[in-house]
Amino acid sequence: MAVKGYPLYWILFAYLVVGWFYPAVGWLAIICMVGPVAFSVRRGRWWCGNVCPRGSMYDRLLSRYSPHRPIPRFVRTVGFRAAMVAFIFTMFGVQMYFAWGDFAAMGKVFWNIILVTTVVGVVLSFIYAPRTWCSFCPMGSLSAWVAPRKAPLPRGYRSIRVDDSCRMKCKSCARVCPMQLAPYDSRGMAEGYLHPDCLKCGKCVAACPLKIMELKA
């Protein structure tokens, strides 16, 4: 059952508030660190578009106030994303080293990472677009790197299918895509849109005026 219709951002808010008083709660962040990558092996970045509480905040709250400017191209490059993965995990590793053995202190390390990256994501939302952080989020990048990229696809893999009658005149799908992708590029392709950063959120399908797009397995 899809959960994208629910305002999951409250989970993020609750985590940050409760974690401030009870650092051990920080350990729950493991779910949102392992989940995206684990699901991506068979479903692509589905978690990021349907389960991630921070993604829910971007889509449901910050999208109302963001200027929706183009996401800088350099943050999508492999080099930049790899550097961000290395930086975040290095900082995490160093902090965890000094906190090792103290369950609460180790939980605080997780909490700190979530807090700092959330602040960065919010700031970027007001400068560029709501999902700017998602374009180079370390866990999102790892998810994109392990996501299926070609047929044959795993059983049950969901992708955007665009009928070959599409002539790319309206580009409505690209305008509503939170990751600023172009689903119409896959028109007529049997395997569908396999861009590794596609969140499988279905917004492009809903926005298509001709209803010639589907999100299906």
Side-chain angles (χ1 to χ4, degrees):
M1 179 178 66
V3 295
K4 62 184 178 183
Y6 297 92
L8 298 180
Y9 54 79
W10 66 266
I11 296 177
L12 172 64
F13 297 159
Y15 173 87
L16 292 175
V17 172
V18 176
W20 172 266
F21 298 100
Y22 303 98
V25 170
W27 280 92
L28 292 175
I30 291 179
I31 297 174
C32 281
M33 294 176 71
V34 176
V37 181
F39 271 85
S40 192
V41 173
R42 297 187 61 84
R43 305 192 70 173
R45 289 190 67 176
W46 174 85
W47 178 287
C48 300
N50 297 271
V51 178
C52 179
R54 188 152 52 188
S56 175
M57 178 185 69
Y58 295 145
D59 293 341
R60 287 177 165 269
L61 296 181
L62 300 188
S63 62
R64 303 175 186 177
Y65 311 104
S66 172
H68 293 276
R69 296 191 180 98
I71 297 173
R73 292 185 179 181
F74 77 90
V75 303
R76 300 178 186 269
T77 62
V78 175
F80 183 85
R81 296 175 79 164
M84 183 56 62
V85 170
F87 175 74
I88 292 294
F89 276 92
T90 297
M91 293 297 99
F92 175 79
V94 170
Q95 293 182 59
M96 192 60 77
Y97 174 80
F98 289 106
W100 197 258
D102 185 329
F103 188 78
M106 293 169 71
K108 188 65 179 294
V109 172
F110 284 102
W111 187 88
N112 285 336
I113 292 292
I114 297 299
L115 175 64
V116 172
T117 54
T118 296
V119 171
V120 172
V122 169
V123 171
L124 291 175
S125 293
F126 287 111
I127 298 176
Y128 297 109
R131 288 273 188 170
T132 301
W133 166 258
C134 301
S135 297
F136 61 94
C137 163
M139 304 320 300
S141 293
L142 292 175
S143 299
W145 293 339
V146 303
R149 293 170 180 256
K150 60 183 179 180
L153 299 171
R155 183 177 181 180
Y157 182 83
R158 304 182 74 195
S159 64
I160 305 297
R161 310 294 174 87
V162 185
D163 191 270
D164 57 11
S165 62
C166 174
R167 293 294 177 268
M168 303 186 303
K169 291 183 178 180
C170 69
K171 298 184 179 180
S172 296
C173 56
R175 283 198 292 271
V176 301
C177 177
M179 295 295 282
Q180 298 184 359
L181 305 178
Y184 58 75
D185 280 343
S186 65
R187 60 193 183 284
M189 295 183 181
E191 65 273 18
Y193 191 58
L194 297 183
H195 194 291
D197 281 322
C198 175
L199 304 181
K200 315 296 186 297
C201 64
K203 291 184 178 180
C204 55
V205 175
C208 179
L210 299 179
K211 304 304 176 185
I212 55 176
M213 302 180 69
E214 293 182 283
L215 177 57
K216 59 187 297 185

